Amino acid sequence: KGLYVALERPIETIICQLKKLGYENVIKNIVFVDAFAWRTGSESIAKYQLRNLSNLNELSVKLLSAVEELGEGGFFLVDSLTNLANYNPEKDILHFFGVNSARLQKNGTTGIWVVEDGIHQPSFYHMLNHLADGILEMKLKDISSTSSRWIRSRALRGEPNIMDWFKVKIEREGLTLLGECEKK
């Protein structure tokens, strides 16, 4: 079971990418909240859609309605909080994040809130670090015209903070650590 809140791309694009990755059977188990279609004036195929991203209360209501449909124990992805900054002050986005992440946890739902690095004020990232249960950072690195992906755990509540970067391979089956490590 999954919930996908689309703020960055059309739902149709997300579904197409999932099909290309071989997840066609999983799509029927995903509840979509479409916060993108209104930007283009398009109709959405999603049951839950927003009329305006500057209304975070509407997004909260749609998000929680979708979570109720999803039921307990699901997984969610909000892609991405950064896009909300085009329509809302950062303090309002942090409030939205704090309230809704607590509500989602109460429902037994876990997930990922995507945030772009280097766009927000430093205080925004500091407050996210404070509010979140964990921070995973990912980066792409170009080495001789080939991209490599790296991940690190910046903070996980209750765990030691190791800032080393680990090279990873992302495949349909999941994430594989490749053994290379970059010390901070």
Side-chain angles (χ1 to χ4, degrees), residues 1-5 26-33 47-48 62-77 104 107-111:
K1 302 185 294 184
L3 167 64
Y4 194 107
V5 181
V26 176
I27 294 168
K28 66 181 179 289
N29 297 322
I30 299 174
V31 178
F32 289 97
V33 175
K47 179 177 178 180
Y48 303 100
K62 302 287 182 174
L63 179 63
L64 296 175
S65 296
V67 165
E68 281 182 28
E69 181 179 327
L70 184 65
E72 287 189 28
F75 179 82
F76 69 89
L77 176 69
L104 290 166
N107 191 57
T109 309
T110 58

Side-chain angles (χ1 to χ4, degrees), residues 31-103:
V31 178
F32 289 97
V33 175
D34 190 342
F36 179 84
W38 75 273
R39 290 168 56 188
T40 61
S42 305
E43 284 298 314
S44 176
I45 62 170
K47 179 177 178 180
Y48 303 100
Q49 52 189 308
L50 268 70
R51 294 182 306 253
N52 188 334
L53 269 183
S54 63
N55 186 344
L56 293 176
N57 289 330
E58 180 188 13
L59 179 55
S60 290
V61 168
K62 302 287 182 174
L63 179 63
L64 296 175
S65 296
V67 165
E68 281 182 28
E69 181 179 327
L70 184 65
E72 287 189 28
F75 179 82
F76 69 89
L77 176 69
V78 178
D79 185 15
S80 105
L81 279 179
T82 298
N83 196 40
L84 294 176
N86 291 324
Y87 309 95
N88 302 277
E90 287 182 343
K91 68 177 184 53
D92 293 350
I93 298 168
L94 289 168
H95 177 75
F96 167 82
F97 171 78
V99 168
N100 285 289
S101 60
R103 289 175 177 166

Side-chain angles (χ1 to χ4, degrees), residues 145-169:
S145 74
T146 61
S147 292
S148 60
R149 291 180 166 89
W150 298 77
I151 191 168
R152 74 175 172 182
S153 165
R154 182 174 175 87
L156 287 175
R157 202 160 282 173
E159 296 294 325
N161 194 12
I162 301 171
M163 297 293 289
D164 298 341
W165 286 97
F166 295 91
K167 190 172 182 181
V168 295
K169 185 176 181 182

